[in-house]
Amino acid sequence: MLRTLLFLGLLCLCAPIFCDPKLGQSHKNDLHHYFLKVPLKWKTIPVEPSEKYAVDKFQDYLPDADNFLASLEILVFNSSKIVLTENTGISFGEEEGSPKVGSREWIDQFLKQREEMSRMTCYDAHLKDLQSRYASYGGGGIKILKRYEIPWKRARTGKAQIYEIGYEGRNSPFVILACSYRQGNVEYVVQYNLNKKDFEKEQDKAVYIESFASFNLTKEATGIKQDIVDVTKLPPHKRREAVKKYLPKGWYAIDTKNYVILSDVKDRKFINEIAMHLELIRLKYEEMFPPKEKIDALSVVRVCASHEEYIGYGAPGGSAGYFSPGSKEMVIYDDSKQNKKNSFSVLYHECFHQYTFYFFGELSAHRWYDEGLGDYFAGAKLREGKFYIEKFEWRTETIRNAVIAKKHYPLEKFVRLSQPEYYQDADVCYAQGWAFIYFLQNTRTSRWRSIIQIYIDALVSEKDPKKAVDKAFEGIDYKQLDNAFEEFIRDGFKVK
């Protein structure tokens, strides 16, 4: 994902209040030894563990006239790792892809670009690499509109590079204003993601330039990049401590047996309630799907204080929660004031994804199974300290209407849909996935009830989703199964 460049804005439901940007006090990063002035009242956003270069993030506290939230990132690169790559010409040794050394064509290309490499910054290489990836997603790419220098005494050249960046091939309202500073083998980039309208206001632009001018290094800076620890690869006890060590201001952690919850929600009673629910719903997962070996992995759950912060952290657009296999985090936001019941439903769904990630040894299952069971648990209700599974009302009307209109999928096709096919028709597929799992868990036909367990056992043993689904549905009369499933839905999700 192009999260570094697409860390942009979002819609806000409330009427916005507009203020011209002003700089506040300096922000200091003790690990990477720098400080700079950040716009007044901008909120600190945590950095995802899977980020390679971003070490700090901030977000405007109010949307502008277009309901856009400006943001700021600080990136840190090791300038000694610029290399030639096959796809983009120039990039980093830390990026995916490596040079094909030895061919005549490669040597000729390298010699032609040697001078360019000596002049360019890490940020140039970063942009060039992202340009290639961004274009591959069907976008028009990015373009440096303007580049100039400002004084910076700590650099060997006495200068820092400012970039004004736009998007090609589309009428995009977004621009990037960034400044690159280099000391020794370390390059720092201060990157603002802005609305083009605000960027074009000279008085606003002057504030961001002033922020660039405020950037400086502490006396501890050595010119050698501090490695960013990949906390996802640490053993559970070390990971628990690592994820709590560099929490942004206002964030705190709550530990339970299997989880660590990270949050900046002011209502700690609500977060403590989440902690209790996590351990109780975990018992329900284990009751239905007992692991053959103990799962020692630490499950990290992040609860953002608002939807705006959740999107700023890196959430997929249109989502209410997600589990990221890359960062091994489950992320939701506090929607308790609007609908507390929905917040818990999202929690139960996404935490099931997290549980199965470790249950299957990080092997991916079919969407009907994974999303269907996630929604199955989203219908859980807590009574007297124990969870009971009920209908998940989010999905009932959608699948009922789909069956009436004959817009649902025949089950033989449905259970073999690829991930892109499933998400392309998400409304119907999510609803049918939930309904099918709910049907299998309630049917009186023992062979149908065994489908889920056979699928799990085959997936664990074969480690091949296609073989697992074939095994689970071996000998099944699909016409009979389809008829019973449709009747189940028409009769109000009741088994006769």
Side-chain angles (χ1 to χ4, degrees), residues 49 88 94 188 215 233 236 269 292 330 357 394 405 424 436 445 463-464 474:
T88 63
E94 296 164 282
Y188 305 85
F215 181 88
K233 295 179 180 179
K269 182 179 178 182
K292 292 184 178 180
M330 197 284 287
F357 175 78
W394 282 17
Q424 190 173 1
F436 186 48
T445 304
K463 304 199 181 303
D464 183 333
E474 187 177 9

Side-chain angles (χ1 to χ4, degrees), residues 244-304:
K244 296 187 291 184
K245 188 174 182 180
Y246 295 109
L247 286 174
K249 184 179 179 181
W251 283 73
Y252 56 90
I254 293 178
D255 290 294
T256 71
K257 177 184 176 182
N258 295 293
Y259 297 89
V260 57
I261 301 102
L262 310 175
S263 184
D264 62 338
V265 174
K266 292 182 179 179
D267 183 2
R268 293 208 181 197
K269 182 179 178 182
F270 174 60
I271 302 303
N272 283 324
E273 193 174 357
I274 282 179
M276 178 190 71
H277 280 235
L278 283 170
E279 289 296 345
L280 290 174
I281 197 70
R282 174 72 170 247
L283 294 176
K284 194 69 177 177
Y285 303 153
E286 292 175 347
E287 175 188 321
M288 289 186 62
F289 308 108
K292 292 184 178 180
E293 296 180 3
K294 183 181 178 182
I295 297 176
D296 292 321
L298 174 69
S299 294
V300 178
V301 174
R302 189 177 296 273
V303 186
C304 298

